[in-house]
Amino acid sequence: MTRSDREQRLYDIWDDSLSAQERELVDRARAFCQEVLVPFAQMAHRDRLPMSKAVVRAWAATGLQGMQTPTEFGGQGASYFTKIRVVHELSRHSFAAAFSLNNSHSMVTMLATQTAPGIRNAYLPALLKGEMVASVALTEPQGGSDLGATRTSAKRADGGWILDGEKSWITNATISDLAVVTAQTGKGTRGIGRFLVDLNAAGVERTGAHAVEVGHAVGAGGLKFTQVWVPEHHLLEAPGEGFKRTMESINGARIHVAAMAVAALERALQQAVDYCSERFAFGKALIEQQGLRWQLADVANQLEAANLLVYRGAQMVHQKLPAALAAAHAKKFATHVAVPGIEACMQAMGATAMLASTGLARQLAEIKMAGYADGTTEVQNERIGGLLKGCYGT
Ligand SMILES: Cc1cc2nc3c(=O)[nH]c(=O)nc-3n(C[C@H](O)[C@H](O)[C@H](O)COP(=O)(O)OP(=O)(O)OC[C@H]3O[C@@H](n4cnc5c(N)ncnc54)[C@H](O)[C@@H]3O)c2cc1C
């Protein structure tokens, strides 16, 4: 059947936005999932293991670690739409493993495009090969939503800065070599700077992976800084700009997490539809039982709406338009419908849904994390609420 003869499928809208080369990157991501990500996600869950450098290297070997890095710096120069489409492929199998690899890829893009040549030349080649991994460290043990309350301090010292403080919930903390760390240089949001910290430097302690019940593959853990000296050129922006830059990049990250939730739900629906088409009860395929097909129709309906919100947000990020509201709507809605949606798909599959081979119970637990990462649902509400008058009032 040609595209014009069939109804539009969920990812068509995305694939239509990609070039042939970008679609080939999506194919590479699909192959990587079968060969590496799926077996790793199952093992990481079973053995409670964080992301490994070997998996990051295998990911980097596909070229996808540098998918958004400009070609003149050794990357693929692909679009934000490609990044989203690639993460669909990863996240439909494991939100946790996809989150870890995406985090690592996003840091490569950031260091390739937003840092001075000195830093780029020093680290980019190793990062692109997966020989080094970088993280972003904002959240602290006392709280993550209120970035303005950052307690990690940065004080001027000869030729640089001295950092003291603690960070928690840092994705890939167990394997990272570098971290972009937010620290307070004065007071309030205007004092917040972003520093590139070598995690093998004196005074840096990794406090280990958090003892999570699910989602070990994220490799989330703590970092402690005691009198860590950071050279002046590792201050990525002037204090104050650090907060602004973090807020600017958060919209793209939120839309991305929303896309991951869409992909997890899409895979659960696919599994439920396939199962219910082949399983019979009371003389009919389950999919022909009205009560059950309506239940799955509700899931499909929310999935389509979430996908369109994510697509609208991605268009705005791609066009460099203000995207705070679109990102908040996409993240809130997609992460909100994914949890009950996956649960409904599992219900339609009966006890089979609980088999480890389906990956559904694991994915249901992993997707809960999407409601926290890159801003909680309540933080999205605050963002939407703050824009009510401006965007919906007369
Ligand atoms: C899988 C995963 C990966 C992560 N990776 C990273 C990472 O790489 N780097 C990093 O820095 N952080 C990371 N985080 C941390 C994440 O950014 C924080 O969990 C998030 O910002 C929320 O902070 P918190 O958990 O400290 O909750 P808190 O800020 O303590 O909030 C607790 C509760 O209060 C609610 N709340 C807060 N303020 C308000 C308000 N004004 N009104 C109403 N309710 C409110 C919150 O929504 C939440 O429900 C990760 C988290 C997860 C789950």
Side-chain angles (χ1 to χ4, degrees):
M1 215 183 334
T2 64
R3 275 285 297 281
S4 52
D5 293 337
R6 63 164 172 80
E7 295 281 343
Q8 193 177 52
R9 300 192 61 131
L10 198 75
Y11 298 131
D12 286 347
I13 191 172
W14 295 97
D15 290 338
D16 289 346
S17 309
L18 306 184
S19 66
Q21 289 95 322
E22 289 172 332
R23 279 200 285 272
E24 196 270 322
L25 293 177
V26 180
D27 293 341
R28 280 192 220 175
R30 208 173 290 123
F32 171 79
C33 287
Q34 291 318 314
E35 287 157 24
V36 181
L37 184 121
V38 172
F40 168 73
Q42 288 165 347
M43 183 187 67
H45 180 65
R46 192 191 58 224
D47 299 342
R48 303 170 82 86
L49 294 173
M51 177 54 69
S52 77
K53 273 240 171 106
V55 173
V56 178
R57 275 197 296 272
W59 159 250
T62 65
L64 293 167
Q65 181 81 319
M67 76 183 118
Q68 286 184 289
T69 296
T71 48
E72 64 266 35
F73 302 147
Q76 312 286 335
S79 64
Y80 179 70
F81 285 109
T82 315
K83 172 185 160 103
I84 299 266
R85 193 61 192 86
V86 163
V87 91
H88 284 144
E89 293 300 329
L90 271 56
S91 187
R92 66 199 299 275
H93 300 292
S94 166
F95 173 82
F99 194 89
S100 160
L101 290 177
N102 170 64
N103 195 275
S104 161
H105 152 259
S106 296
M107 294 310 293
V108 173
T109 309
M110 189 281 230
L111 289 163
T113 57
Q114 296 176 23
T115 60
I119 289 191
R120 195 173 58 228
N121 295 339
Y123 298 113
L124 193 58
L127 287 165
L128 282 172
K129 288 189 204 135
E131 287 165 1
M132 288 184 102
V133 175
S135 290
V136 59
L138 317 172
T139 304
E140 304 195 338
Q142 292 79 18
S145 302
D146 185 4
L147 188 57
T150 296
R151 293 188 189 187
T152 298
S153 66
K155 296 201 168 69
R156 277 205 177 279
D158 264 358
W161 299 78
I162 298 284
L163 262 62
D164 280 285
E166 204 171 334
K167 298 286 178 179
S168 57
W169 286 101
I170 307 311
T171 298
N172 293 328
T174 48
I175 53 166
S176 282
D177 304 277
L178 295 169
V180 173
V181 178
T182 47
Q184 184 55 265
T185 65
K187 264 193 185 162
T189 54
R190 288 184 170 204
I192 292 179
R194 291 203 306 173
F195 299 83
L196 183 64
V197 178
D198 174 354
L199 296 183
N200 299 311
V204 178
E205 187 192 335
R206 288 164 214 264
T207 55
H210 295 316
V212 289
E213 197 58 44
V214 287
H216 304 84
V218 170
L223 299 169
K224 208 168 171 180
F225 308 109
T226 310
Q227 294 278 296
V228 177
W229 184 76
V230 178
E232 185 64 40
H233 69 284
H234 278 215
L235 171 66
L236 298 179
E237 295 98 17
E241 289 299 305
F243 182 78
K244 225 171 99 192
R245 195 45 86 79
T246 301
M247 287 300 140
E248 279 164 12
S249 62
I250 203 97
N251 297 328
R254 285 178 180 165
I255 291 161
H256 197 256
V257 173
M260 294 168 83
V262 165
L265 183 55
E266 176 268 332
R267 168 91 172 122
L269 182 61
Q270 183 187 57
Q271 286 173 280
V273 167
D274 288 350
Y275 180 87
C276 294
S277 303
E278 282 165 20
R279 181 99 168 177
F280 280 68
F282 304 100
K284 280 198 233 176
L286 289 173
I287 199 104
E288 305 302 337
Q289 312 278 358
Q290 191 183 60
L292 195 123
R293 67 197 279 159
W294 281 24
Q295 192 177 313
L296 295 182
D298 281 347
V299 174
N301 185 239
Q302 295 192 318
L303 176 64
E304 292 287 345
N307 189 45
L308 287 179
L309 280 178
V310 176
Y311 186 74
R312 196 244 328 221
Q315 272 183 320
M316 298 179 85
V317 168
H318 181 70
Q319 292 167 24
K320 300 193 177 6
L321 294 171
L325 184 67
H329 278 307
K331 176 149 199 284
K332 178 181 168 169
F333 189 77
T335 58
H336 207 64
V337 297
V339 175
I342 295 174
E343 198 274 334
C345 292
M346 291 177 71
Q347 187 64 22
M349 291 173 66
T352 300
M354 297 308 293
L355 294 175
S357 55
T358 69
L360 281 163
R362 169 176 58 75
Q363 187 74 308
L364 177 63
E366 287 185 10
I367 208 67
K368 181 76 191 103
M369 297 192 295
Y372 308 124
D374 290 307
T376 62
T377 304
E378 294 73 22
V379 165
Q380 310 314 315
N381 268 343
E382 269 303 285
R383 179 60 79 173
I384 297 165
L387 291 166
L388 281 175
K389 278 209 280 187
C391 295
Y392 304 99
T394 46

